[in-house]
Amino acid sequence: MLDASRRPAGVSIAAGARCETLARSRPHCHPAASPLDSPAVRLAIPRETAPREQRVSLIPETVGRLVKSGFQAAVETGAGLAAGHPDDAYRAAGAGIANDFAACTSGAQVVFKVREPSEAEIAAIPEGALLLGLLGRGEDAARIERYRTRRLGVFSLNALPRISRAQKMDALSSMAACAGYKAVLLAANTTGKFFPLLMTAAGTVAPARVFVLGAGVAGLQAIATAKRLGAVVEAFDVRPAVKEEVQSLGATFVDMALGEAGVGAGGYAKELDEQRNEQIRQTIAARLPVTDVVISTASIPGRKAPLLLPAAAVATMRPGSVIVDLAAESGGNCALTQPGTTVVDHHVTIHGPLDLAATLATHASQMYSRNLYELIVHLAKDAKLNVDFSDEITRGCCLTYDGRAAGELTAAGKSA
């Protein structure tokens, strides 16, 4: 007979159940081994429940690599379905399938998430387990306190140091690339114009003019996508170092001679004084009357997004123009943006999408899964957890560990 105590309740192990039936008539038949019946580090991949979320933290390909390297894995049923990965694909990769969140995370040493877990989910995660995902930068004090109460080791890809060794774990860049691409498609689907130049029997159709605000990963992807569709593209960024990247993609860089004033730590943009911000807004506004589409991506980590498009400037755009504000979640670059919805003001359509990367669930999950894979193999050696706070990456992306705040963690020594 199967020993139910050897595996978490709710985990489906069909082979073992069939063998149990045979064992009644064949005493020599023993139950098939469960992928969870081993002393190896157990990984949990629960289903995401946040609104609009369609991604999964680990895809079957990544799970298979981890299982082959010595880990064991449990996947909540339906976790990968919205991203194109049915339960059978995870079974084939060597994972067990759990009926619900509690069964999936029961006994887990590491829990993978895309978005922050709910209060109930935090309470169900085993005390002392590691929690990996896009979990903020520690700004939610109440949530951090719940993590500390459960003594969870929380490692957020939002807080990953921007160093070369961490590039393979850079989920923010992965998701920004998805968002930049999808923003252009959203704009193209909304505008009443062709993006490319067309020579037709009915005459010449001029190409759409696209203005990209911010030339980080999302902005560069937006530039590349708009150019592929045939638009005339301009771009602006407060960091002069991105000028060559913008031009290499075939776009015109709008230079304001700000020098290094807009460059912050790690190469991110930083907040400018009001005089420079007004100079930026005037430069942008001067181009809006001849712009068909604005893709706005400007953001500052941990701060409210800079206001680049006042209502008066939007009013100068031609009727039918489109703004896609990718900074909507942090307040928006446009004064008229309403996060999570679309509005029409001054005959201009303004999109304020949230979690746009989640709408590209299949490829976004593929990229995110690879980022998480690099993080877990960084935190483990030979499939055994080896959390080393002397390492800059480990220390930098840890929000709390074993009941301690990130600032209390030692910069030397190891802890498992």
Side-chain angles (χ1 to χ4, degrees):
M1 299 291 286
L2 271 177
D3 180 0
S5 66
R6 296 185 63 202
R7 61 182 174 88
V11 175
S12 171
I13 306 172
R18 288 195 298 271
C19 198
E20 180 180 2
T21 302
L22 290 172
R24 296 189 181 98
S25 57
R26 301 180 185 177
H28 62 277
C29 180
H30 299 288
S34 160
L36 305 181
D37 288 342
S38 82
V41 172
R42 185 180 177 206
L43 313 176
I45 302 95
R47 183 171 57 87
E48 297 295 321
T49 57
R52 303 176 301 275
E53 189 54 70
Q54 301 179 66
R55 293 166 291 185
V56 63
S57 56
L58 293 183
I59 65 173
E61 177 190 3
T62 306
V63 169
R65 291 177 66 186
L66 290 168
V67 169
K68 287 179 181 177
S69 66
F71 293 93
Q72 54 179 297
V75 179
E76 184 178 354
T77 185
L81 199 55
H85 304 293
D87 291 349
D88 284 346
Y90 286 102
R91 288 192 184 95
I97 303 299
N99 293 333
D100 54 32
F101 185 94
C104 178
T105 59
S106 177
Q109 285 99 329
V110 185
V111 178
F112 295 94
K113 289 280 290 174
V114 178
R115 302 281 298 281
E116 295 93 340
S118 67
E119 190 170 346
E121 289 173 337
I122 293 173
I125 297 174
E127 188 172 352
L130 303 188
L131 175 64
L132 280 55
L134 289 167
L135 307 172
R137 291 184 170 86
E139 60 273 21
D140 188 336
R143 189 185 299 274
I144 293 295
E145 185 56 34
R146 286 193 285 271
Y147 291 150
R148 293 183 67 180
T149 299
R150 297 292 297 164
R151 295 180 48 251
L152 302 180
V154 181
F155 294 86
S156 175
L157 291 172
N158 288 101
L160 197 72
R162 287 180 64 85
I163 58 176
S164 58
R165 286 195 302 120
Q167 285 183 348
K168 291 183 178 180
M169 310 171 200
D170 189 358
L172 287 181
S173 290
S174 297
M175 298 304 101
C178 295
Y181 168 81
K182 194 61 179 283
V184 175
L185 300 188
L186 179 59
N189 193 51
T190 304
T191 182
K193 297 185 175 183
F194 286 110
F195 265 44
L197 168 72
L198 294 181
M199 308 291 288
T200 74
T204 300
V205 177
R209 300 188 66 88
V210 176
F211 193 10
V212 178
L213 307 181
V217 175
L220 292 172
Q221 186 62 245
I223 292 168
T225 304
K227 286 297 295 182
R228 290 188 193 105
L229 292 177
V232 174
V233 184
E234 291 184 316
F236 166 78
D237 197 286
V238 296
R239 298 163 297 176
V242 302
K243 179 178 180 178
E244 290 185 6
E245 293 181 82
V246 168
Q247 293 174 331
S248 71
L249 294 172
T252 300
F253 185 75
V254 178
D255 198 341
M256 289 187 55
L258 293 172
E260 297 296 317
V263 183
Y268 287 109
K270 73 176 183 181
E271 198 166 21
L272 296 170
D273 60 58
E274 185 54 30
Q275 182 178 355
R276 284 193 173 95
N277 281 330
E278 183 57 30
Q279 180 186 355
I280 290 169
R281 286 191 286 267
Q282 290 177 7
T283 301
I284 292 171
R287 283 173 155 71
L288 294 183
V290 295
T291 297
D292 300 304
V293 171
V294 175
I295 307 293
S296 181
T297 73
S299 62
I300 301 168
R303 305 296 295 272
K304 189 178 186 298
L307 176 62
L308 302 178
L309 299 165
V314 175
T316 67
M317 298 182 74
R318 290 178 288 203
S321 298
V322 178
I323 297 171
V324 182
D325 192 345
L326 292 184
E329 191 166 357
S330 57
N333 296 139
C334 177
L336 301 173
T337 297
Q338 294 185 19
T341 190
T342 298
V343 298
V344 178
D345 204 308
H346 298 103
H347 305 289
V348 176
T349 300
I350 303 143
H351 296 285
L354 301 176
D355 308 309
L356 199 54
T359 64
L360 285 171
T362 300
H363 280 154
S365 296
Q366 176 183 316
M367 297 167 75
Y368 183 68
S369 182
R370 290 173 180 172
N371 297 143
L372 276 182
Y373 172 83
E374 295 296 335
L375 180 57
I376 189 57
V377 298
H378 174 79
L379 296 173
K381 185 177 182 181
D382 299 325
K384 294 180 181 179
L385 295 179
N386 185 46
V387 183
D388 181 2
F389 287 108
S390 66
D391 181 87
E392 182 180 1
I393 294 174
T394 303
R395 194 169 63 253
C397 67
C398 184
L399 302 185
T400 179
Y401 187 85
D402 195 28
R404 290 171 287 169
E408 300 171 2
L409 298 172
T410 178
K414 298 182 179 182
S415 181

